[in-house]
């Protein structure tokens, strides 16, 4: 988990579509017993890629260590980052045609070849 408040870097120039971004961090901790932690690891590609003869003894040893050395409690930490930016005033909904109007003005093929929203 990162220990700084900078996240993955500031968005210095979000372009013309958005104003300055607000960043929120949401840390969470999920607790596992030894067997549950081994099951979690078993579901990841790193461990799934191992031969069963290697993987299962390794995960059994990890589960046993959690039981013996950690009181059968192991944390798994997660960090969710939300970046939120308001639409720039130049792209307010009043200056753009509605989706219904856009659909009436263009064919499906034309919509696929153009970006939404259309240039104003």
């Amino acid at each position: 988990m990162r220990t700084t408040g900078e996240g993955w870097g500031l968005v210095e120039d979000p372009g013309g579509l958005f104003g300055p971004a607000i960043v929120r961090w949401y840390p969470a901790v999920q607790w596992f017993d030894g067997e549950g932690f081994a099951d979690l690891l078993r579901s990841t590609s790193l461990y799934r890629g191992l031969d069963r003869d290697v993987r299962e003894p390794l995960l059994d040893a990890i589960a046993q260590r959690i039981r013996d050395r950690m009181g059968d409690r192991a944390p798994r930490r997660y960090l969710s980052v939300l970046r939120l930016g308001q639409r720039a005033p130049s792209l307010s909904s009043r200056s753009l045609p509605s989706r219904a109007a856009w659909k009436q003005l263009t064919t499906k093929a034309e919509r696929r070849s153009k970006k939404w929203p259309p240039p104003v």
Side-chain angles (χ1 to χ4, degrees):
M1 182 161 79
R2 294 182 182 258
T3 58
T4 67
E6 307 240 351
W8 287 275
L10 298 173
V11 179
E12 293 180 15
D13 182 18
L17 297 177
F18 297 97
I22 298 170
V23 180
R24 296 283 188 261
W25 296 63
Y26 298 96
V29 179
Q30 188 175 13
W31 290 92
F32 294 91
D33 62 9
E35 191 60 35
F37 199 85
D39 286 342
L40 173 69
L41 294 178
R42 194 174 279 114
S43 70
T44 63
S45 60
L46 176 68
Y47 291 92
R48 291 182 67 79
L50 297 173
D51 287 335
R52 182 175 175 74
D53 296 341
V54 173
R55 179 182 63 236
E56 293 310 315
L58 174 62
L59 294 176
D60 288 343
I62 290 171
Q64 189 63 46
R65 185 154 185 116
I66 290 170
R67 285 191 289 272
D68 294 345
R69 301 269 180 110
M70 300 174 71
D72 206 19
R73 262 176 74 85
R76 173 69 188 229
R77 300 180 190 283
Y78 297 92
L79 180 63
S80 299
V81 179
L82 172 68
R83 259 180 218 217
L84 189 62
Q86 286 188 325
R87 188 185 297 194
S90 64
L91 291 176
S92 70
S93 59
R94 286 178 240 159
S95 66
L96 296 175
S98 68
R99 286 192 185 271
W102 175 248
K103 286 181 180 180
Q104 289 175 353
L105 294 173
T106 61
T107 67
K108 196 177 225 180
E110 289 172 326
R111 284 193 304 275
R112 263 191 249 122
S113 69
K114 297 178 183 175
K115 291 183 178 178
W116 175 262
V120 179

